[in-house]
Amino acid sequence: MNSDFTLAIHSLTFLALQPDRMSTSDAISESAGVHPVRIRKVLSLLKKHGFIKSKEGTGGGFLFALDLNDINLWDIYKITSEGALQPKCPESNAKCIVGANMQNVLCSIFWGAEVHLGEYLKDYTIKEIVDLINKEK
């Protein structure tokens, strides 16, 4: 899993908590504690997949495009991190039974882990993340 996943969740939650006004990438980056360019990259990805919309120019920024219940963490994972759990195996000795088969075996196991992760992440929507944040206040 990479930081784009957590930054996407952070960005969407930030936008969800301010539904009646545009939020800038600078404001979101300040909240997340990262450079605005990193947030803009994530926001671009979220916009491309229809999760948010934007308006350029003075008074512009970003807004949620969907209902908070329509986006779950698996949706976000798929666009930011899918395949991230796959093992990175070095070139192995193809003449060795272990070396010749390790990547295929591990990929199968980790693919299964990602399927299970997906089933778990589907249970959490941005609405639930917002509710958990509000509970912490």
Side-chain angles (χ1 to χ4, degrees):
M1 192 169 318
N2 62 41
S3 62
D4 287 353
F5 176 65
T6 55
L7 289 174
I9 295 168
H10 190 115
S11 298
L12 290 169
T13 304
F14 188 92
L15 294 173
L17 286 168
Q18 302 181 58
D20 299 330
R21 66 183 181 129
M22 292 276 190
S23 296
T24 65
S25 57
D26 288 338
I28 298 168
S29 71
E30 185 176 317
S31 173
V34 299
H35 197 278
V37 171
R38 293 209 45 225
I39 289 296
R40 285 186 202 109
K41 176 185 164 220
V42 170
L43 292 172
S44 175
L45 190 61
L46 294 171
K47 182 180 174 186
K48 177 182 171 186
H49 286 87
F51 297 136
I52 62 173
K53 53 189 172 184
S54 67
K55 177 184 168 199
E56 294 186 23
T58 306
F62 297 89
L63 284 171
F64 231 90
L66 302 172
D67 184 273
L68 301 183
N69 288 308
D70 292 341
I71 302 173
N72 64 55
L73 298 188
W74 181 239
D75 296 329
I76 299 164
Y77 179 88
K78 286 188 297 185
I79 67 166
T80 61
S81 304
E82 190 167 35
L85 294 182
Q86 293 303 309
K88 311 294 187 271
C89 296
E91 287 297 319
S92 300
N93 182 350
K95 295 179 183 174
C96 172
I97 191 166
V98 175
N101 295 292
M102 185 56 68
Q103 180 150 354
N104 289 341
V105 169
L106 289 180
C107 283
S108 175
I109 292 168
F110 282 77
W111 179 82
E114 196 165 61
V115 169
H116 287 290
L117 175 63
E119 291 303 315
Y120 183 78
L121 292 177
K122 284 177 187 177
D123 290 338
Y124 292 92
T125 65
I126 293 298
K127 170 73 169 95
E128 289 167 307
I129 300 297
V130 167
D131 291 345
L132 290 169
I133 295 286
N134 283 328
K135 191 190 299 187
E136 295 293 320
K137 286 183 185 178

